[in-house]
Amino acid sequence: MRGLILAGGFATRLRPLSCSKPKLLFPIVGTPLVELMARWLSSGGVDQIILAVNHLSDKLKIEVGRHVAGVTVKFSVEETPLGTAGPIRLAANLLGKDDPFFVTNGDIVSDIEIRRMLEMHEETNAEATMAVVSVPDPSPYGSVLTDSNGKVKEFEEKSAVLSAASHVNAGVYVLSQSVIDSIPGGRSVSLENEVFPKLVRNGRMQSWMHKGFWYDIGRVSEYVRANHELLQKQELKATKPGASEVGREILRPSYLGTRTHIGVGAKVGPLAILSDNVSVGDEAIVRNSIIFEETSIGEKVAVEGSVIGERVVIGKGSRIGHGSMIAGQLSIPEGSIVPPNSVILC
Ligand code: GDD
Ligand code: MG
């Protein structure tokens, strides 16, 4: 079965980290999001993924290649952004005659049971089935009201009115081929504002209530929360003791990617997530932070509560204040004091 991942858009809420790195390549406890999504989709029977892309599409093509986690990958590239529905129409040929097929937003980390969603779609004879979740604050999402059978009665994107009493759109859908026909061609079209309201009015939209984990990593706070919560889950499953070494202190929960180097006297963790090839200098401190691949943290540097992008070099003795984000392969000079909540580059 085929699944389309909506992976265009500019990820402005993840700047500066997203300036040179598409959301789909963001590491989630060291694994690129696209790989997590491919594993999740393939566990539900998807064997071919179509990546609907525009911004940074060349980088994605190079990094993702033709297969991820055993799933075949095809690219559908928009010349100009076509919104959330336009790319589905553009990819109609790649979706072929699969009826129904999957569509998901490209920033979702979840264990939604898509096979069961598909069964629900077929049993209810819906044209679209949307996974919904319950979150403490629904206002940044699409609000969904359903009847007792789960049929969607009202849907409104980022609604101030509906949100109080509703579940939210998880950004994961089973769609029938007829939905493609209803999307106008040649312009940007929104699933949420144009396609779904019509399906709801016609009584053809079903919901699938998801009770497991779900994150939209499109905002930094949620990206960090997803990493921390998944890290804790992995730690619970891990059987071997923490990776403490003589002369270094590695406090759990923490994640060290492959070929990470931790200097003598360094203190790493708790909640330190280091992607592959990260180096932490002697006597440096890294706590409660996410460090992307190939970044180098110098001797006696302190990084706390921050997210550091890939290939950044932080010079000896620097202090990175809580809540900071540094990206763009920057070099921070020795002895720098970066005040809390600093956002550097782009
Ligand atoms: N190909 C393509 N082209 N993809 C796009 C475009 C475009 O022009 N615009 C946005 N996307 C992709 C984004 O990359 C993202 O993966 C997905 O469409 C949704 O866009 P977001 O910008 O992340 O939307 P949101 O998070 O504010 O809201 C959406 O997701 C929520 C759940 O996470 C909506 O679908 C809400 O209803 C939903 O609750
Ligand atoms: Mg999003």
Side-chain angles (χ1 to χ4, degrees):
M1 186 155 73
R2 285 169 235 211
L4 181 140
I5 300 182
L6 288 163
F10 291 90
T12 48
R13 291 165 294 188
L14 288 172
R15 281 185 186 156
L17 302 162
S18 56
C19 292
S20 56
K21 202 176 194 63
K23 266 199 274 200
L24 270 186
L25 298 179
F26 271 48
I28 311 291
V29 195
T31 303
L33 174 60
V34 67
E35 195 177 322
L36 282 188
M37 293 189 78
R39 278 191 225 151
W40 160 58
L41 290 167
S42 86
S43 74
V46 172
D47 57 3
Q48 193 179 114
I49 289 175
I50 295 146
L51 295 185
V53 296
N54 45 57
H55 175 60
L56 297 177
S57 64
D58 290 342
K59 189 166 175 98
L60 265 171
K61 276 188 182 166
I62 294 164
E63 303 259 340
V64 175
R66 287 194 231 157
H67 300 276
V68 183
V71 181
T72 307
V73 178
K74 297 248 162 88
F75 285 84
S76 174
V77 184
E78 294 145 58
E79 277 171 25
T80 55
L82 291 177
T84 45
I88 301 173
R89 170 150 178 167
L90 185 73
N93 285 341
L94 293 175
L95 286 164
K97 301 229 174 311
D98 269 16
D99 194 8
F101 56 91
F102 272 98
V103 172
T104 171
N105 287 346
D107 51 11
I108 304 298
V109 179
S110 182
D111 58 354
I112 291 171
E113 293 172 280
I114 55 182
R115 263 184 219 278
R116 296 193 50 202
M117 228 180 127
L118 183 65
E119 283 164 17
M120 161 81 90
H121 182 80
E122 280 163 356
E123 276 161 25
T124 56
N125 194 28
E127 272 190 88
T129 298
M130 167 191 280
V132 300
V133 285
S134 181
V135 293
D137 175 17
S139 57
Y141 302 110
S143 293
V144 188
L145 284 184
T146 63
D147 69 11
S148 56
N149 297 319
K151 186 185 270 193
V152 179
K153 287 291 167 204
E154 286 183 66
F155 176 82
E156 204 176 320
E157 186 61 14
K158 303 190 172 70
S159 159
V161 182
L162 260 194
S163 70
S166 70
H167 287 95
V168 304
N169 169 17
V172 178
Y173 323 107
V174 178
L175 301 181
S176 295
Q177 282 278 338
S178 54
V179 174
I180 301 185
D181 304 332
S182 74
I183 301 170
R187 66 169 173 93
S188 171
V189 184
S190 161
L191 274 178
E192 296 83 353
N193 296 315
E194 297 183 56
V195 178
F196 293 158
K198 210 182 282 174
L199 287 166
V200 171
R201 276 200 301 279
N202 295 341
R204 300 302 306 278
M205 186 144 193
Q206 183 65 27
S207 67
W208 164 259
M209 182 66 193
H210 172 64
K211 297 262 168 57
F213 65 85
W214 178 83
Y215 309 93
D216 169 347
I217 62 125
R219 284 178 292 149
V220 176
S221 58
E222 287 299 289
Y223 171 67
V224 170
R225 192 171 74 88
N227 272 275
H228 286 176
E229 292 188 11
L230 292 177
L231 173 66
Q232 314 258 18
K233 275 189 214 291
Q234 290 184 8
E235 287 270 335
L236 291 177
K237 275 195 262 162
T239 48
K240 58 178 186 192
S244 81
E245 292 172 50
V246 182
R248 297 150 177 91
E249 188 179 275
I250 298 168
L251 296 177
R252 298 173 76 165
S254 284
Y255 171 87
L256 307 189
T258 57
R259 297 177 300 278
T260 45
H261 166 80
I262 312 291
V264 177
K267 294 185 177 172
V268 171
L271 293 174
I273 300 181
L274 276 44
S275 286
D276 296 349
N277 293 310
V278 164
S279 85
V280 177
D282 294 350
E283 295 174 50
I285 297 172
V286 181
R287 264 187 217 124
N288 186 19
S289 294
I290 302 173
I291 318 291
F292 288 21
E293 63 276 10
E294 289 173 47
T295 277
S296 164
I297 293 167
E299 233 176 85
K300 297 191 169 129
V301 165
V303 182
E304 299 207 36
S306 296
V307 184
I308 314 290
E310 81 270 25
R311 297 199 190 108
V312 171
V313 177
I314 303 182
K316 185 173 169 181
S318 298
R319 297 245 164 303
I320 310 297
H322 201 276
S324 296
M325 285 193 282
I326 303 175
Q329 309 183 12
L330 268 192
S331 284
I332 305 289
E334 284 188 10
S336 300
I337 306 291
V338 174
N341 302 313
S342 299
V343 174
I344 308 190
L345 190 92
C346 235

